[in-house]
Amino acid sequence: MSLDLFVLTPANAASFDKAIAVVMEEVPGTPDDSVELEAYAKEVYDAYGDDDWPFGGDPIVENAFVQLVVAPDAWEAEVPKLVERAHSRGLTVVDPQLEKLFPPGKPYVDEQ
């Protein structure tokens, strides 16, 4: 089992519902012309080695978002760092498990 985390530009994540609609391709997302999503995915990929890889695969880069499939045993330790890394690039993170949006400046807090 794994858990999803999505990273989007603020334009595609004005609300939780809009972000999920973009991720589910129910509405078209605004393409990331700044290439921040691609740069974020590369940064995440480069930050981990084979021995500490906390994902269920490589980061998936789409036109309007990045999907990270995080292993459950790594979730608590890694997600706050992944969110902080996204915020440093001005990106917003969506946690569909919590049904929450974490825009830049709002640190990840699992309140379940």
PDB file of all heavy atoms in Angstrom, residues 73-86:
ATOM      1  N   ASP A  73       5.347   3.664   5.637  1.00  0.00           N
ATOM      2  CA  ASP A  73       6.307   3.741   6.738  1.00  0.00           C
ATOM      3  C   ASP A  73       7.221   4.964   6.643  1.00  0.00           C
ATOM      4  O   ASP A  73       7.902   5.313   7.599  1.00  0.00           O
ATOM      5  CB  ASP A  73       7.131   2.453   6.845  1.00  0.00           C
ATOM      6  CG  ASP A  73       7.927   2.133   5.592  1.00  0.00           C
ATOM      7  OD1 ASP A  73       7.581   2.653   4.504  1.00  0.00           O
ATOM      8  OD2 ASP A  73       8.881   1.345   5.686  1.00  0.00           O
ATOM      9  N   ALA A  74       7.221   5.641   5.504  1.00  0.00           N
ATOM     10  CA  ALA A  74       8.039   6.843   5.336  1.00  0.00           C
ATOM     11  C   ALA A  74       7.210   8.122   5.429  1.00  0.00           C
ATOM     12  O   ALA A  74       7.766   9.219   5.505  1.00  0.00           O
ATOM     13  CB  ALA A  74       8.746   6.799   3.985  1.00  0.00           C
ATOM     14  N   TRP A  75       5.888   7.995   5.426  1.00  0.00           N
ATOM     15  CA  TRP A  75       4.994   9.153   5.337  1.00  0.00           C
ATOM     16  C   TRP A  75       5.282  10.201   6.406  1.00  0.00           C
ATOM     17  O   TRP A  75       5.526  11.361   6.101  1.00  0.00           O
ATOM     18  CB  TRP A  75       3.540   8.701   5.425  1.00  0.00           C
ATOM     19  CG  TRP A  75       2.564   9.796   5.187  1.00  0.00           C
ATOM     20  CD1 TRP A  75       1.981  10.594   6.136  1.00  0.00           C
ATOM     21  CD2 TRP A  75       2.035  10.234   3.937  1.00  0.00           C
ATOM     22  NE1 TRP A  75       1.128  11.499   5.544  1.00  0.00           N
ATOM     23  CE2 TRP A  75       1.151  11.286   4.195  1.00  0.00           C
ATOM     24  CE3 TRP A  75       2.235   9.837   2.624  1.00  0.00           C
ATOM     25  CZ2 TRP A  75       0.458  11.961   3.196  1.00  0.00           C
ATOM     26  CZ3 TRP A  75       1.544  10.492   1.620  1.00  0.00           C
ATOM     27  CH2 TRP A  75       0.673  11.547   1.913  1.00  0.00           C
ATOM     28  N   GLU A  76       5.245   9.809   7.644  1.00  0.00           N
ATOM     29  CA  GLU A  76       5.377  10.756   8.762  1.00  0.00           C
ATOM     30  C   GLU A  76       6.705  11.510   8.734  1.00  0.00           C
ATOM     31  O   GLU A  76       6.752  12.719   8.984  1.00  0.00           O
ATOM     32  CB  GLU A  76       5.228  10.016  10.096  1.00  0.00           C
ATOM     33  CG  GLU A  76       5.123  10.933  11.288  1.00  0.00           C
ATOM     34  CD  GLU A  76       4.847  10.168  12.563  1.00  0.00           C
ATOM     35  OE1 GLU A  76       3.966   9.290  12.576  1.00  0.00           O
ATOM     36  OE2 GLU A  76       5.533  10.455  13.560  1.00  0.00           O
ATOM     37  N   ALA A  77       7.767  10.831   8.395  1.00  0.00           N
ATOM     38  CA  ALA A  77       9.088  11.463   8.391  1.00  0.00           C
ATOM     39  C   ALA A  77       9.336  12.295   7.137  1.00  0.00           C
ATOM     40  O   ALA A  77       9.964  13.353   7.208  1.00  0.00           O
ATOM     41  CB  ALA A  77      10.177  10.398   8.511  1.00  0.00           C
ATOM     42  N   GLU A  78       8.829  11.854   5.987  1.00  0.00           N
ATOM     43  CA  GLU A  78       9.194  12.487   4.722  1.00  0.00           C
ATOM     44  C   GLU A  78       8.239  13.571   4.239  1.00  0.00           C
ATOM     45  O   GLU A  78       8.670  14.539   3.601  1.00  0.00           O
ATOM     46  CB  GLU A  78       9.351  11.420   3.633  1.00  0.00           C
ATOM     47  CG  GLU A  78      10.465  10.440   3.900  1.00  0.00           C
ATOM     48  CD  GLU A  78      11.811  11.100   4.145  1.00  0.00           C
ATOM     49  OE1 GLU A  78      12.135  12.109   3.494  1.00  0.00           O
ATOM     50  OE2 GLU A  78      12.560  10.600   5.007  1.00  0.00           O
ATOM     51  N   VAL A  79       6.948  13.428   4.491  1.00  0.00           N
ATOM     52  CA  VAL A  79       5.991  14.387   3.924  1.00  0.00           C
ATOM     53  C   VAL A  79       6.247  15.824   4.377  1.00  0.00           C
ATOM     54  O   VAL A  79       6.232  16.734   3.544  1.00  0.00           O
ATOM     55  CB  VAL A  79       4.537  13.936   4.155  1.00  0.00           C
ATOM     56  CG1 VAL A  79       3.554  15.036   3.800  1.00  0.00           C
ATOM     57  CG2 VAL A  79       4.251  12.697   3.317  1.00  0.00           C
ATOM     58  N   PRO A  80       6.503  16.088   5.643  1.00  0.00           N
ATOM     59  CA  PRO A  80       6.803  17.486   6.002  1.00  0.00           C
ATOM     60  C   PRO A  80       7.986  18.056   5.217  1.00  0.00           C
ATOM     61  O   PRO A  80       7.959  19.221   4.810  1.00  0.00           O
ATOM     62  CB  PRO A  80       7.094  17.417   7.502  1.00  0.00           C
ATOM     63  CG  PRO A  80       6.316  16.234   7.970  1.00  0.00           C
ATOM     64  CD  PRO A  80       6.427  15.237   6.846  1.00  0.00           C
ATOM     65  N   LYS A  81       9.012  17.242   4.965  1.00  0.00           N
ATOM     66  CA  LYS A  81      10.165  17.705   4.190  1.00  0.00           C
ATOM     67  C   LYS A  81       9.793  17.925   2.722  1.00  0.00           C
ATOM     68  O   LYS A  81      10.254  18.880   2.099  1.00  0.00           O
ATOM     69  CB  LYS A  81      11.309  16.694   4.298  1.00  0.00           C
ATOM     70  CG  LYS A  81      11.913  16.614   5.690  1.00  0.00           C
ATOM     71  CD  LYS A  81      13.124  15.735   5.704  1.00  0.00           C
ATOM     72  CE  LYS A  81      12.735  14.320   6.018  1.00  0.00           C
ATOM     73  NZ  LYS A  81      13.868  13.406   6.195  1.00  0.00           N
ATOM     74  N   LEU A  82       8.954  17.054   2.174  1.00  0.00           N
ATOM     75  CA  LEU A  82       8.516  17.202   0.788  1.00  0.00           C
ATOM     76  C   LEU A  82       7.682  18.465   0.614  1.00  0.00           C
ATOM     77  O   LEU A  82       7.807  19.174  -0.391  1.00  0.00           O
ATOM     78  CB  LEU A  82       7.717  15.975   0.352  1.00  0.00           C
ATOM     79  CG  LEU A  82       8.505  14.677   0.261  1.00  0.00           C
ATOM     80  CD1 LEU A  82       7.566  13.487   0.152  1.00  0.00           C
ATOM     81  CD2 LEU A  82       9.480  14.723  -0.901  1.00  0.00           C
ATOM     82  N   VAL A  83       6.847  18.757   1.609  1.00  0.00           N
ATOM     83  CA  VAL A  83       6.028  19.970   1.569  1.00  0.00           C
ATOM     84  C   VAL A  83       6.918  21.200   1.662  1.00  0.00           C
ATOM     85  O   VAL A  83       6.762  22.157   0.894  1.00  0.00           O
ATOM     86  CB  VAL A  83       4.958  19.956   2.691  1.00  0.00           C
ATOM     87  CG1 VAL A  83       4.268  21.302   2.808  1.00  0.00           C
ATOM     88  CG2 VAL A  83       3.943  18.844   2.440  1.00  0.00           C
ATOM     89  N   GLU A  84       7.855  21.191   2.574  1.00  0.00           N
ATOM     90  CA  GLU A  84       8.773  22.325   2.726  1.00  0.00           C
ATOM     91  C   GLU A  84       9.566  22.566   1.436  1.00  0.00           C
ATOM     92  O   GLU A  84       9.744  23.706   1.002  1.00  0.00           O
ATOM     93  CB  GLU A  84       9.730  22.048   3.889  1.00  0.00           C
ATOM     94  CG  GLU A  84      10.612  23.202   4.244  1.00  0.00           C
ATOM     95  CD  GLU A  84      11.463  22.900   5.473  1.00  0.00           C
ATOM     96  OE1 GLU A  84      10.934  22.392   6.468  1.00  0.00           O
ATOM     97  OE2 GLU A  84      12.674  23.188   5.402  1.00  0.00           O
ATOM     98  N   ARG A  85      10.006  21.497   0.809  1.00  0.00           N
ATOM     99  CA  ARG A  85      10.747  21.600  -0.451  1.00  0.00           C
ATOM    100  C   ARG A  85       9.856  22.211  -1.539  1.00  0.00           C
ATOM    101  O   ARG A  85      10.293  23.059  -2.315  1.00  0.00           O
ATOM    102  CB  ARG A  85      11.236  20.213  -0.864  1.00  0.00           C
ATOM    103  CG  ARG A  85      12.208  20.202  -1.994  1.00  0.00           C
ATOM    104  CD  ARG A  85      12.636  18.765  -2.339  1.00  0.00           C
ATOM    105  NE  ARG A  85      13.174  18.023  -1.225  1.00  0.00           N
ATOM    106  CZ  ARG A  85      14.466  17.952  -0.902  1.00  0.00           C
ATOM    107  NH1 ARG A  85      15.351  18.601  -1.614  1.00  0.00           N
ATOM    108  NH2 ARG A  85      14.867  17.233   0.120  1.00  0.00           N
ATOM    109  N   ALA A  86       8.582  21.813  -1.595  1.00  0.00           N
ATOM    110  CA  ALA A  86       7.633  22.374  -2.566  1.00  0.00           C
ATOM    111  C   ALA A  86       7.407  23.856  -2.298  1.00  0.00           C
ATOM    112  O   ALA A  86       7.390  24.682  -3.222  1.00  0.00           O
ATOM    113  CB  ALA A  86       6.311  21.617  -2.519  1.00  0.00           C
TER     114      ALA A  86
END
